[in-house]
Amino acid sequence: MDLRFQRRLAAKILGCGRERVWMDPNSLSDIAEAATKEDIRKLIEDGIIKRKPVTGISRARINQKNSQKRKGRRRGHGSRKGKKGAGAPSKELWIARIRVLRRRLRFLRDAEMIDRRTYRMLYRRAKGGEFRNVAHLDAYVQSIIHKR
């Protein structure tokens, strides 16, 4: 049964697309007899023709992906865009590293593990980028202490 004409009229009346027009499968013969807009309006009133609700786009897949990213997944080389320093700018990495190193140096000086002259020398070396991290700094300090 070809109901394209009726579907088109119903879509126009309902103010939606043709795909959103629902027709009662049990009343197809009644729908086929409808030839005017008035007939279609009557069928809509009777509930034989209805407008389907708008289907939204599910965020379930995006939410799952974001959940995995929070756990640290999906962050490999194949997923990266932008330059090498785009994830965390090199300046921010430097700031974090130098603050930790300087905090460690202050601790060593205040605990009198190193004297003021050694502190100053190590401070300048840290500023020059000689130490990768606190473990590297500690290893260097140990080597100095063992030499004495």
Side-chain angles (χ1 to χ4, degrees), residues 108 113 136-147:
L108 292 171
M113 295 176 170
H136 190 201
L137 172 67
D138 284 345
Y140 188 85
V141 169
Q142 285 301 318
S143 69
I144 288 173
I145 292 170
H146 284 301
K147 281 182 184 175

Side-chain angles (χ1 to χ4, degrees), residues 112-126:
E112 295 181 2
M113 295 176 170
I114 56 174
D115 61 343
R116 281 173 55 227
R117 286 178 66 189
T118 310
Y119 166 80
R120 209 15 74 189
M121 180 264 292
L122 292 173
Y123 189 98
R124 284 198 296 269
R125 288 187 178 205

Side-chain angles (χ1 to χ4, degrees), residues 81-122:
K81 286 186 175 181
K83 286 192 169 185
K84 186 171 92 171
S90 53
K91 183 168 182 175
E92 283 179 20
L93 295 174
W94 166 258
I95 290 169
R97 188 164 80 235
I98 198 68
R99 281 178 181 171
V100 169
L101 288 170
R102 285 173 178 169
R103 196 176 304 131
R104 183 66 174 171
L105 284 170
R106 274 196 302 275
F107 168 78
L108 292 171
R109 182 193 64 194
D110 295 344
E112 295 181 2
M113 295 176 170
I114 56 174
D115 61 343
R116 281 173 55 227
R117 286 178 66 189
T118 310
Y119 166 80
R120 209 15 74 189
M121 180 264 292
L122 292 173

Side-chain angles (χ1 to χ4, degrees), residues 17-54:
R18 293 180 205 151
E19 291 299 314
R20 277 185 59 206
V21 173
W22 176 85
M23 297 179 172
D24 187 359
N26 303 324
S27 310
L28 294 180
S29 56
D30 297 343
I31 296 168
E33 289 172 15
T36 64
K37 276 189 172 181
E38 202 54 51
D39 296 339
I40 299 289
R41 280 195 194 97
K42 175 89 173 66
L43 292 170
I44 290 169
E45 223 173 272
D46 296 342
I48 293 170
I49 296 176
K50 293 179 185 174
R51 177 173 40 197
K52 288 183 195 170
V54 178

Side-chain angles (χ1 to χ4, degrees), residues 1-7 31-32:
M1 200 176 299
D2 188 15
L3 300 174
R4 280 183 295 185
F5 172 70
Q6 286 82 353
R7 184 177 289 277
I31 296 168

Side-chain angles (χ1 to χ4, degrees), residues 59 61-71:
R59 283 197 56 85
R61 287 180 299 279
I62 294 118
N63 291 342
Q64 189 190 4
K65 190 189 281 190
N66 289 341
S67 154
Q68 286 190 322
K69 281 186 176 182
R70 278 194 297 275
K71 292 181 200 168

